[in-house]
Amino acid sequence: MLYTVKRAMYLSVLDFRECFFLGFANLLPRNHLSDRLCCHLVRKSGVEIGPDSVIWGPLDIRPIGGAKRIKIGHRVFINSRTRFGCPEPGSIIIGNHVAIGPKCVFE
């Protein structure tokens, strides 16, 4: 019982971290510096992102907790309003040198 409570508390901290960093990244204005900062904040939320990738926000990840199941390669461009739906046990993997247009949905 105690293990289950500790695990639930740990998961809620990770979910809070994901919501905080994604929410902050989605509030940034669009300019060169903010695009790099947005990518760094999305990385802090739990998404694995390779080097030299650019994200134009906002980015939507559903369900909460799904960020850790998304892997993005290096030199990837993600345009605005992209949505990732990644329920358990699935995952989303985007390779290297990929450009994603606006309003794309990955389910």
XYZ file of all heavy atoms in Angstrom:
843
model
N 0.820 -1.191 0.000
C 0.000 0.000 0.000
C 0.870 1.263 0.000
O 0.610 2.177 -0.763
C -0.922 -0.054 1.224
C -1.763 1.167 1.395
S -3.080 1.146 0.185
C -3.953 2.579 0.633
N 1.886 1.294 0.843
C 2.756 2.464 0.916
C 3.498 2.686 -0.397
O 3.660 3.808 -0.840
C 3.744 2.313 2.073
C 4.646 3.514 2.329
C 3.810 4.739 2.666
C 5.609 3.213 3.454
N 3.914 1.571 -1.045
C 4.605 1.676 -2.332
C 3.691 2.326 -3.371
O 4.122 3.163 -4.155
C 5.061 0.303 -2.794
C 5.623 0.299 -4.179
C 6.894 0.809 -4.432
C 4.886 -0.177 -5.244
C 7.418 0.830 -5.706
C 5.404 -0.165 -6.526
C 6.668 0.339 -6.747
O 7.180 0.352 -8.007
N 2.419 1.944 -3.372
C 1.462 2.497 -4.326
C 1.280 3.996 -4.108
O 1.226 4.770 -5.056
C 0.104 1.779 -4.194
O 0.320 0.377 -4.322
C -0.870 2.250 -5.252
N 1.218 4.428 -2.856
C 1.063 5.848 -2.549
C 2.299 6.625 -2.988
O 2.194 7.685 -3.597
C 0.788 6.048 -1.043
C 0.842 7.522 -0.675
C -0.552 5.449 -0.667
N 3.484 6.091 -2.705
C 4.715 6.763 -3.120
C 4.796 6.863 -4.642
O 5.196 7.870 -5.187
C 5.952 6.025 -2.586
C 6.200 6.256 -1.129
C 7.472 5.575 -0.705
C 7.752 5.797 0.762
N 8.983 5.134 1.191
N 4.399 5.777 -5.325
C 4.434 5.794 -6.788
C 3.450 6.817 -7.345
O 3.753 7.549 -8.285
C 4.124 4.406 -7.327
C 4.178 4.351 -8.820
C 3.867 2.980 -9.328
N 3.637 3.071 -10.737
C 4.082 2.242 -11.617
N 4.800 1.222 -11.235
N 3.825 2.395 -12.888
N 2.255 6.913 -6.762
C 1.261 7.885 -7.215
C 1.761 9.308 -6.989
O 1.556 10.188 -7.833
C -0.060 7.664 -6.491
N 2.428 9.567 -5.878
C 2.970 10.897 -5.618
C 4.066 11.224 -6.617
O 4.148 12.341 -7.106
C 3.510 10.986 -4.185
C 2.406 11.038 -3.160
S 2.932 11.009 -1.436
C 4.458 11.846 -1.399
N 4.910 10.246 -6.958
C 5.982 10.464 -7.926
C 5.417 10.781 -9.301
O 5.866 11.690 -9.975
C 6.886 9.234 -7.976
C 8.006 9.352 -8.962
C 9.075 10.215 -8.740
C 8.014 8.608 -10.136
C 10.106 10.330 -9.643
C 9.034 8.717 -11.049
C 10.085 9.576 -10.792
O 11.097 9.694 -11.690
N 4.384 10.050 -9.700
C 3.779 10.301 -11.009
C 3.121 11.673 -11.051
O 3.174 12.363 -12.061
C 2.763 9.213 -11.336
C 3.350 7.841 -11.646
C 2.237 6.829 -11.855
C 4.241 7.903 -12.865
N 2.518 12.099 -9.963
C 1.876 13.405 -9.979
C 2.915 14.531 -10.081
O 2.661 15.556 -10.687
C 0.998 13.596 -8.745
O 1.778 13.605 -7.575
N 4.100 14.333 -9.500
C 5.162 15.333 -9.627
C 5.632 15.409 -11.072
O 5.844 16.499 -11.617
C 6.340 15.004 -8.675
C 7.547 15.861 -8.980
C 5.909 15.188 -7.233
N 5.772 14.266 -11.732
C 6.167 14.266 -13.145
C 5.098 14.923 -14.013
O 5.415 15.653 -14.950
C 6.436 12.841 -13.626
C 7.691 12.175 -13.094
C 7.786 10.746 -13.614
C 8.926 12.956 -13.470
N 3.826 14.665 -13.717
C 2.749 15.292 -14.475
C 2.752 16.802 -14.280
O 2.528 17.558 -15.230
C 1.392 14.710 -14.068
C 1.246 13.257 -14.466
O 2.030 12.792 -15.313
O 0.349 12.590 -13.931
N 2.993 17.262 -13.045
C 3.070 18.690 -12.793
C 4.227 19.313 -13.574
O 4.079 20.376 -14.169
C 3.239 18.972 -11.296
C 3.471 20.419 -11.000
C 2.421 21.317 -11.034
C 4.742 20.891 -10.730
C 2.631 22.674 -10.774
C 4.963 22.230 -10.471
C 3.908 23.121 -10.497
N 5.369 18.625 -13.585
C 6.543 19.118 -14.317
C 6.221 19.263 -15.809
O 6.552 20.268 -16.433
C 7.703 18.151 -14.101
C 8.945 18.507 -14.841
C 10.011 17.487 -14.560
N 11.070 17.617 -15.521
C 12.124 16.856 -15.562
N 12.271 15.898 -14.688
N 13.037 17.032 -16.481
N 5.566 18.242 -16.359
C 5.199 18.290 -17.776
C 4.250 19.451 -18.058
O 4.454 20.225 -19.000
C 4.542 16.973 -18.179
C 4.067 16.938 -19.609
C 3.403 15.628 -19.959
O 3.777 14.589 -19.391
O 2.509 15.663 -20.813
N 3.221 19.621 -17.240
C 2.250 20.702 -17.444
C 2.900 22.067 -17.301
O 2.606 22.988 -18.072
C 1.105 20.568 -16.447
S 0.040 19.161 -16.735
N 3.780 22.217 -16.319
C 4.425 23.506 -16.079
C 5.296 23.921 -17.266
O 5.159 25.021 -17.794
C 5.261 23.441 -14.797
C 6.019 24.704 -14.520
C 5.372 25.804 -13.992
C 7.367 24.789 -14.809
C 6.055 26.972 -13.735
C 8.072 25.959 -14.565
C 7.414 27.051 -14.022
N 6.190 23.025 -17.686
C 7.121 23.391 -18.760
C 6.422 23.530 -20.111
O 6.753 24.416 -20.892
C 8.277 22.397 -18.838
C 9.276 22.573 -17.733
C 9.452 21.611 -16.764
C 10.044 23.716 -17.651
C 10.367 21.779 -15.742
C 10.966 23.912 -16.637
C 11.121 22.936 -15.676
N 5.443 22.660 -20.414
C 4.715 22.810 -21.676
C 3.871 24.077 -21.678
O 3.793 24.776 -22.689
C 3.828 21.591 -21.921
C 4.521 20.357 -22.457
C 3.536 19.211 -22.571
C 5.172 20.629 -23.786
N 3.234 24.375 -20.548
C 2.432 25.593 -20.461
C 3.268 26.838 -20.656
O 2.878 27.769 -21.374
N 4.441 26.864 -20.034
C 5.331 28.020 -20.177
C 5.857 28.128 -21.604
O 5.934 29.221 -22.171
C 6.478 27.916 -19.176
C 7.317 29.142 -19.097
C 6.785 30.348 -18.685
C 8.652 29.101 -19.455
C 7.558 31.488 -18.616
C 9.444 30.232 -19.396
C 8.889 31.439 -18.969
N 6.209 26.994 -22.209
C 6.711 27.001 -23.586
C 5.644 27.504 -24.556
O 5.955 28.202 -25.524
C 7.167 25.601 -23.985
N 4.380 27.181 -24.294
C 3.298 27.595 -25.188
C 2.961 29.078 -25.061
O 2.290 29.633 -25.924
C 2.051 26.752 -24.943
C 2.221 25.340 -25.456
O 3.057 25.075 -26.308
N 1.441 24.424 -24.927
N 3.424 29.732 -24.007
C 3.156 31.162 -23.826
C 4.198 32.067 -24.474
O 3.999 33.277 -24.562
C 3.084 31.488 -22.327
C 1.898 30.918 -21.576
C 2.022 31.223 -20.093
C 0.589 31.473 -22.121
N 5.304 31.491 -24.921
C 6.390 32.305 -25.479
C 6.000 32.910 -26.826
O 5.309 32.276 -27.624
C 7.646 31.454 -25.666
C 8.305 30.941 -24.392
C 9.438 29.990 -24.749
C 8.820 32.092 -23.556
N 6.455 34.142 -27.106
C 6.189 34.747 -28.424
C 7.049 34.075 -29.493
O 7.986 33.351 -29.189
C 6.608 36.204 -28.225
C 7.621 36.156 -27.149
C 7.222 35.029 -26.235
N 6.715 34.329 -30.748
C 7.442 33.719 -31.858
C 8.598 34.602 -32.285
O 8.404 35.645 -32.899
C 6.509 33.511 -33.039
C 5.474 32.431 -32.883
C 5.969 31.076 -33.317
N 6.611 31.093 -34.593
C 6.000 31.053 -35.772
N 4.703 31.018 -35.835
N 6.696 31.062 -36.874
N 9.822 34.205 -31.969
C 11.040 34.818 -32.503
C 12.168 33.793 -32.369
O 11.972 32.723 -31.775
C 11.375 36.150 -31.816
C 11.591 36.026 -30.330
O 12.269 35.123 -29.881
N 10.999 36.929 -29.570
N 13.318 34.089 -32.907
C 14.402 33.110 -32.961
C 14.821 32.629 -31.576
O 14.978 31.424 -31.346
C 15.608 33.696 -33.704
C 16.754 32.750 -33.828
N 16.684 31.630 -34.644
C 17.972 32.714 -33.245
C 17.822 30.961 -34.549
N 18.617 31.604 -33.702
N 14.986 33.535 -30.647
C 15.394 33.165 -29.299
C 14.320 32.335 -28.599
O 14.620 31.329 -27.951
C 15.708 34.424 -28.481
C 16.171 34.192 -27.046
C 17.474 33.412 -27.022
C 16.324 35.522 -26.337
N 13.068 32.731 -28.746
C 11.977 31.993 -28.109
C 11.816 30.599 -28.683
O 11.437 29.672 -27.966
C 10.663 32.761 -28.263
O 10.723 33.974 -27.580
N 12.081 30.421 -29.972
C 11.974 29.091 -30.581
C 12.969 28.130 -29.950
O 12.644 26.973 -29.676
C 12.200 29.169 -32.087
C 11.114 29.951 -32.797
O 10.026 30.104 -32.216
O 11.360 30.401 -33.922
N 14.194 28.577 -29.719
C 15.204 27.724 -29.074
C 14.839 27.458 -27.618
O 14.994 26.346 -27.126
C 16.589 28.375 -29.147
C 17.099 28.532 -30.546
C 17.410 27.202 -31.148
N 17.798 27.383 -32.540
C 18.025 26.387 -33.351
N 17.925 25.153 -32.940
N 18.356 26.616 -34.596
N 14.317 28.483 -26.928
C 13.902 28.318 -25.539
C 12.708 27.379 -25.439
O 12.638 26.546 -24.529
C 13.567 29.678 -24.924
C 13.154 29.681 -23.459
C 14.244 29.082 -22.584
C 12.812 31.091 -23.018
N 11.789 27.470 -26.376
C 10.629 26.576 -26.416
C 11.075 25.126 -26.525
O 10.572 24.254 -25.820
C 9.718 26.953 -27.578
S 8.248 25.925 -27.719
N 12.037 24.856 -27.391
C 12.557 23.499 -27.552
C 13.190 23.006 -26.245
O 12.991 21.862 -25.838
C 13.573 23.474 -28.689
S 14.030 21.833 -29.218
N 13.915 23.873 -25.573
C 14.541 23.505 -24.298
C 13.479 23.215 -23.229
O 13.603 22.242 -22.478
C 15.473 24.627 -23.842
C 16.145 24.353 -22.548
N 17.121 23.384 -22.414
C 15.970 24.895 -21.324
C 17.515 23.359 -21.150
N 16.831 24.263 -20.477
N 12.421 24.018 -23.168
C 11.371 23.796 -22.181
C 10.593 22.514 -22.461
O 10.230 21.786 -21.528
C 10.421 24.996 -22.150
C 11.013 26.277 -21.572
C 10.068 27.442 -21.796
C 11.333 26.114 -20.103
N 10.339 22.226 -23.726
C 9.660 20.969 -24.077
C 10.546 19.784 -23.696
O 10.066 18.766 -23.200
C 9.286 20.950 -25.576
C 8.790 19.582 -25.996
C 8.241 22.009 -25.870
N 11.838 19.925 -23.867
C 12.776 18.880 -23.461
C 12.704 18.672 -21.943
O 12.711 17.541 -21.456
C 14.188 19.253 -23.901
C 15.209 18.171 -23.695
C 16.582 18.575 -24.204
N 16.609 18.637 -25.663
C 16.947 19.717 -26.370
N 17.307 20.820 -25.758
N 16.943 19.677 -27.678
N 12.600 19.758 -21.182
C 12.498 19.672 -19.720
C 11.194 19.008 -19.276
O 11.119 18.454 -18.194
C 12.595 21.060 -19.087
C 13.919 21.749 -19.259
C 14.977 21.131 -18.420
C 14.974 21.804 -17.060
N 16.028 21.325 -16.196
N 10.172 19.061 -20.130
C 8.891 18.450 -19.774
C 8.917 16.930 -19.893
O 8.008 16.267 -19.413
C 7.773 19.015 -20.640
O 7.847 18.497 -21.949
N 9.935 16.382 -20.527
C 10.052 14.933 -20.619
C 10.175 14.384 -22.023
O 10.423 13.199 -22.214
N 10.004 15.218 -23.035
C 10.128 14.775 -24.426
C 11.612 14.662 -24.769
O 12.392 15.564 -24.472
C 9.436 15.771 -25.384
C 9.612 15.350 -26.831
C 7.963 15.900 -25.050
N 12.001 13.549 -25.382
C 13.388 13.404 -25.845
C 13.523 14.108 -27.195
O 12.871 13.720 -28.161
C 13.757 11.934 -25.998
C 13.937 11.212 -24.693
C 14.411 9.786 -24.913
O 15.205 9.543 -25.843
O 13.959 8.920 -24.158
N 14.356 15.141 -27.250
C 14.540 15.920 -28.476
C 16.019 15.981 -28.807
O 16.839 16.315 -27.956
C 13.992 17.356 -28.309
C 12.514 17.314 -27.934
C 14.188 18.153 -29.588
C 11.921 18.662 -27.653
N 16.354 15.682 -30.047
C 17.734 15.737 -30.499
C 18.219 17.168 -30.668
O 17.430 18.116 -30.632
N 19.511 17.335 -30.910
C 20.076 18.684 -31.072
C 19.615 19.345 -32.371
O 19.217 18.676 -33.320
C 21.589 18.434 -31.078
C 21.742 17.015 -31.497
C 20.534 16.295 -30.999
N 19.676 20.665 -32.392
C 19.341 21.490 -33.568
C 17.899 21.341 -34.020
O 17.589 21.539 -35.194
C 20.282 21.187 -34.735
C 21.721 21.514 -34.424
O 21.939 22.485 -33.674
O 22.616 20.811 -34.914
N 17.006 20.988 -33.115
C 15.581 20.919 -33.440
C 14.919 22.235 -33.085
O 15.357 22.946 -32.184
C 14.910 19.774 -32.681
O 15.408 18.536 -33.118
N 13.851 22.574 -33.802
C 13.132 23.835 -33.590
C 11.653 23.521 -33.446
O 11.089 22.754 -34.226
C 13.350 24.808 -34.769
C 12.540 26.071 -34.585
C 14.819 25.131 -34.925
N 11.022 24.134 -32.436
C 9.585 23.977 -32.222
C 8.957 25.357 -32.210
O 9.346 26.212 -31.425
C 9.298 23.250 -30.894
C 9.854 21.834 -30.932
C 7.796 23.225 -30.628
C 9.739 21.094 -29.634
N 7.990 25.553 -33.082
C 7.187 26.764 -33.057
C 5.917 26.404 -32.313
O 5.112 25.614 -32.796
C 6.831 27.239 -34.460
C 7.959 27.857 -35.213
C 9.249 27.998 -34.798
C 7.901 28.413 -36.520
N 9.999 28.603 -35.764
C 9.184 28.874 -36.840
C 6.899 28.561 -37.451
C 9.487 29.482 -38.037
C 7.194 29.160 -38.646
C 8.477 29.622 -38.943
N 5.724 26.978 -31.143
C 4.572 26.647 -30.306
C 3.295 27.252 -30.847
O 3.317 28.017 -31.796
N 2.162 26.923 -30.277
C 1.986 26.016 -29.161
C 1.998 24.551 -29.580
O 1.696 24.206 -30.710
C 0.626 26.408 -28.596
C -0.118 26.979 -29.742
C 0.917 27.613 -30.632
N 2.356 23.727 -28.622
C 2.433 22.278 -28.805
C 1.479 21.646 -27.809
O 1.431 22.029 -26.649
C 3.870 21.829 -28.533
C 4.233 20.378 -28.735
C 4.177 20.033 -30.217
C 5.624 20.113 -28.204
N 0.696 20.667 -28.253
C -0.297 20.029 -27.392
C 0.043 18.551 -27.261
O 0.206 17.863 -28.276
C -1.686 20.220 -28.006
C -2.799 19.738 -27.111
O -2.597 19.670 -25.882
O -3.882 19.442 -27.635
N 0.162 18.083 -26.022
C 0.451 16.664 -25.758
C -0.664 16.114 -24.887
O -0.938 16.631 -23.805
C 1.818 16.480 -25.081
C 2.923 16.962 -25.999
C 2.033 15.013 -24.698
C 4.301 16.912 -25.398
N -1.320 15.073 -25.361
C -2.397 14.419 -24.627
C -2.140 12.938 -24.567
O -1.653 12.376 -25.533
C -3.748 14.659 -25.310
C -4.136 16.088 -25.371
C -4.681 16.516 -24.034
N -5.211 17.863 -24.167
C -4.837 18.865 -23.400
N -3.951 18.683 -22.480
N -5.357 20.048 -23.568
N -2.476 12.224 -23.538
C -2.927 12.689 -22.246
C -1.768 13.249 -21.441
O -0.603 13.089 -21.827
C -3.484 11.431 -21.586
C -2.662 10.331 -22.160
C -2.371 10.759 -23.571
N -2.086 13.880 -20.328
C -1.027 14.378 -19.450
C -0.203 13.188 -18.996
O -0.736 12.152 -18.609
C -1.627 15.132 -18.252
C -2.347 16.370 -18.756
C -0.556 15.480 -17.238
C -3.114 17.116 -17.703
N 1.094 13.309 -19.084
C 1.994 12.198 -18.783
C 2.509 11.519 -20.044
O 3.324 10.614 -19.976
N 2.041 11.953 -21.207
C 2.449 11.332 -22.459
C 3.769 11.845 -23.015
O 4.298 11.279 -23.969
N 4.317 12.898 -22.429
C 5.550 13.496 -22.963
C 6.718 12.534 -22.911
O 7.565 12.531 -23.799
C 5.896 14.772 -22.191
N 6.762 11.691 -21.910
C 7.895 10.766 -21.780
C 7.868 9.659 -22.835
O 8.836 8.941 -22.990
C 7.922 10.174 -20.376
C 6.700 9.361 -20.031
C 6.753 8.851 -18.606
C 5.490 8.123 -18.267
N 4.590 8.895 -17.441
N 6.762 9.541 -23.562
C 6.659 8.519 -24.614
C 6.850 9.098 -26.014
O 6.511 8.463 -27.009
C 5.306 7.825 -24.502
C 5.170 7.011 -23.222
C 3.895 6.206 -23.187
N 2.685 7.013 -23.245
C 2.071 7.541 -22.188
N 2.576 7.371 -21.003
N 0.973 8.235 -22.334
N 7.411 10.316 -26.108
C 7.641 10.963 -27.396
C 9.141 11.157 -27.590
O 9.820 11.686 -26.717
C 6.914 12.322 -27.460
C 5.406 12.117 -27.318
C 7.238 13.030 -28.767
C 4.628 13.390 -27.169
N 9.652 10.696 -28.737
C 11.073 10.848 -29.068
C 11.173 11.567 -30.407
O 10.560 11.155 -31.384
C 11.751 9.488 -29.143
C 11.788 8.763 -27.812
C 12.462 7.421 -27.969
C 12.659 6.767 -26.654
N 11.600 6.065 -26.090
N 11.971 12.625 -30.437
C 12.144 13.431 -31.641
C 13.627 13.457 -31.985
O 14.464 13.721 -31.120
C 11.609 14.858 -31.404
C 10.104 14.806 -31.099
C 11.879 15.745 -32.606
C 9.507 16.113 -30.660
N 13.968 13.187 -33.235
C 15.359 13.138 -33.686
C 16.000 14.508 -33.792
O 15.434 15.517 -33.406
N 17.209 14.513 -34.367
C 17.929 15.786 -34.496
C 17.570 16.477 -35.818
O 17.171 15.841 -36.778
C 19.445 15.585 -34.346
C 20.088 14.856 -35.475
N 20.092 13.484 -35.563
C 20.747 15.310 -36.556
C 20.728 13.129 -36.655
N 21.136 14.212 -37.283
N 17.696 17.800 -35.789
C 17.377 18.675 -36.922
C 15.930 18.493 -37.390
O 15.660 18.334 -38.584
C 18.357 18.485 -38.054
C 19.786 18.832 -37.655
C 20.736 18.884 -38.802
N 20.323 19.810 -39.836
C 20.623 21.116 -39.875
N 21.334 21.645 -38.914
N 20.209 21.870 -40.864
N 14.995 18.515 -36.434
C 13.565 18.387 -36.713
C 12.910 19.755 -36.541
O 13.226 20.492 -35.614
C 12.916 17.349 -35.757
C 11.408 17.337 -35.909
C 13.481 15.971 -36.013
N 12.018 20.095 -37.455
C 11.254 21.333 -37.370
C 9.794 20.973 -37.139
O 9.216 20.205 -37.910
C 11.385 22.153 -38.653
C 10.451 23.322 -38.699
C 10.719 24.455 -37.957
C 9.315 23.278 -39.470
C 9.853 25.539 -37.991
C 8.448 24.348 -39.524
C 8.714 25.485 -38.774
N 9.204 21.511 -36.064
C 7.788 21.276 -35.758
C 7.083 22.626 -35.791
O 7.391 23.513 -34.998
C 7.621 20.598 -34.385
C 8.319 19.241 -34.384
C 6.134 20.436 -34.055
C 8.298 18.534 -33.062
N 6.131 22.774 -36.709
C 5.414 24.030 -36.866
C 4.347 24.170 -35.776
O 4.155 23.287 -34.960
C 4.782 24.092 -38.263
C 4.674 25.498 -38.783
O 4.431 26.433 -38.046
N 4.855 25.637 -40.091
N 3.631 25.282 -35.786
C 2.708 25.609 -34.704
C 1.463 24.728 -34.687
O 1.064 24.170 -35.705
C 2.308 27.072 -34.793
O 1.674 27.319 -36.011
N 0.887 24.635 -33.497
C -0.361 23.911 -33.222
C -0.292 22.428 -33.571
O -1.259 21.848 -34.060
C -1.529 24.586 -33.910
C -1.841 25.942 -33.351
C -3.117 26.503 -33.948
N -3.470 27.751 -33.313
C -3.049 28.929 -33.713
N -2.233 29.023 -34.745
N -3.417 30.019 -33.087
N 0.830 21.816 -33.332
C 0.979 20.375 -33.544
C 0.485 19.654 -32.301
O 0.725 20.080 -31.180
C 2.449 20.012 -33.823
O 2.873 20.731 -34.976
C 2.611 18.535 -34.074
N -0.223 18.546 -32.505
C -0.806 17.794 -31.389
C -0.268 16.374 -31.394
O -0.246 15.707 -32.426
C -2.315 17.760 -31.507
C -2.990 17.015 -30.377
C -4.505 17.126 -30.505
N -5.148 16.748 -29.283
C -5.621 15.533 -29.053
N -5.531 14.605 -29.978
N -6.198 15.253 -27.911
N 0.172 15.921 -30.226
C 0.620 14.546 -30.028
C -0.338 13.860 -29.067
O -0.470 14.267 -27.920
C 2.037 14.508 -29.436
C 3.101 15.026 -30.358
C 3.566 16.315 -30.251
C 3.631 14.205 -31.334
C 4.547 16.799 -31.089
C 4.612 14.685 -32.195
C 5.057 15.977 -32.065
N -1.019 12.814 -29.531
C -1.865 12.000 -28.673
C -1.162 10.672 -28.466
O -1.021 9.899 -29.396
N -0.712 10.439 -27.258
C 0.146 9.286 -27.000
C -0.323 8.515 -25.772
O 0.311 8.570 -24.718
C 1.580 9.781 -26.811
S 2.783 8.480 -26.861
N -1.453 7.790 -25.875
C -1.917 7.024 -24.719
C -1.034 5.808 -24.475
O -0.343 5.336 -25.385
C -3.328 6.603 -25.111
C -3.318 6.580 -26.594
C -2.343 7.644 -27.023
N -1.050 5.320 -23.249
C -0.249 4.132 -22.932
C -0.821 2.950 -23.662
O -2.027 2.876 -23.857
C -0.262 3.886 -21.429
C 0.630 4.857 -20.687
C 0.891 4.413 -19.276
O 1.406 3.291 -19.106
O 0.568 5.174 -18.376
N -0.110 1.976 -24.068
C 1.334 1.780 -23.985
C 2.071 2.268 -25.224
O 3.233 1.958 -25.419
C 1.459 0.272 -23.857
C 0.358 -0.255 -24.720
C -0.768 0.744 -24.555
N 1.429 3.042 -26.067
C 2.036 3.491 -27.323
C 3.115 4.537 -27.147
O 3.321 5.076 -26.061
N 3.812 4.813 -28.238
C 4.827 5.860 -28.249
C 4.872 6.484 -29.638
O 4.395 5.897 -30.611
C 6.194 5.306 -27.859
O 6.632 4.376 -28.815
N 5.434 7.668 -29.719
C 5.594 8.372 -30.988
C 7.084 8.636 -31.181
O 7.731 9.211 -30.312
C 4.811 9.696 -30.993
C 3.313 9.415 -30.866
C 5.106 10.488 -32.262
C 2.467 10.652 -30.701
N 7.610 8.202 -32.318
C 9.028 8.397 -32.630
C 9.116 9.119 -33.972
O 8.586 8.645 -34.981
C 9.775 7.056 -32.689
C 9.677 6.343 -31.341
C 11.231 7.274 -33.082
C 10.197 4.923 -31.348
N 9.775 10.268 -33.964
C 9.997 11.047 -35.186
C 11.485 10.998 -35.474
O 12.305 11.293 -34.610
C 9.507 12.500 -35.005
C 8.001 12.489 -34.751
C 9.854 13.334 -36.226
C 7.431 13.827 -34.391
N 11.849 10.627 -36.691
C 13.251 10.449 -37.059
C 14.012 11.756 -37.221
O 13.559 12.825 -36.823
N 15.168 11.659 -37.832
C 16.041 12.808 -38.053
C 15.673 13.531 -39.348
O 15.144 12.928 -40.281
C 17.501 12.352 -38.131
C 17.933 11.646 -36.877
O 17.474 11.948 -35.782
N 18.824 10.679 -37.023
N 15.965 14.831 -39.414
C 15.770 15.656 -40.615
C 14.321 15.616 -41.108
O 14.053 15.345 -42.275
C 16.712 15.220 -41.736
C 18.147 15.203 -41.336
N 18.888 16.338 -41.250
C 18.961 14.187 -40.967
C 20.123 16.035 -40.862
N 20.183 14.727 -40.690
N 13.386 15.909 -40.197
C 11.960 15.875 -40.517
C 11.388 17.278 -40.351
O 11.736 17.993 -39.408
C 11.218 14.896 -39.583
C 9.714 14.919 -39.821
C 11.742 13.479 -39.762
N 10.504 17.686 -41.257
C 9.771 18.947 -41.135
C 8.289 18.623 -41.021
O 7.734 17.894 -41.858
C 10.026 19.840 -42.333
N 7.649 19.144 -39.986
C 6.231 18.893 -39.722
C 5.476 20.206 -39.908
O 5.840 21.221 -39.327
C 6.033 18.341 -38.298
C 6.763 17.008 -38.160
C 4.550 18.170 -37.990
C 6.828 16.477 -36.762
N 4.430 20.173 -40.704
C 3.645 21.373 -41.001
C 2.741 21.783 -39.858
O 2.650 21.112 -38.838
N 2.043 22.912 -40.037
C 1.161 23.395 -38.974
C -0.095 22.538 -38.826
O -0.565 21.943 -39.789
C 0.801 24.809 -39.427
C 0.949 24.773 -40.894
C 2.062 23.800 -41.179
N -0.571 22.480 -37.605
C -1.825 21.792 -37.239
C -1.801 20.306 -37.562
O -2.845 19.716 -37.860
C -3.010 22.466 -37.899
C -3.214 23.892 -37.470
C -4.420 24.504 -38.127
C -4.547 25.961 -37.736
N -5.681 26.611 -38.409
N -0.644 19.664 -37.520
C -0.563 18.216 -37.715
C -0.947 17.500 -36.425
O -0.706 17.995 -35.332
C 0.833 17.790 -38.125
S 1.212 18.185 -39.822
N -1.538 16.337 -36.573
C -1.962 15.551 -35.414
C -1.347 14.174 -35.511
O -1.440 13.498 -36.536
C -3.511 15.435 -35.379
C -3.957 14.576 -34.210
C -4.155 16.810 -35.299
N -0.694 13.749 -34.434
C -0.116 12.411 -34.322
C -0.880 11.681 -33.234
O -0.856 12.076 -32.087
C 1.364 12.473 -33.967
C 2.214 13.122 -35.013
C 2.439 14.491 -34.989
C 2.776 12.374 -36.025
C 3.208 15.091 -35.944
C 3.551 12.972 -36.992
C 3.764 14.337 -36.954
N -1.580 10.631 -33.591
C -2.376 9.863 -32.615
C -1.879 8.438 -32.562
O -1.494 7.869 -33.512
C -3.857 9.869 -32.989
C -4.468 11.243 -32.977
C -4.742 11.800 -31.583
O -4.926 11.006 -30.650
O -4.745 13.017 -31.450
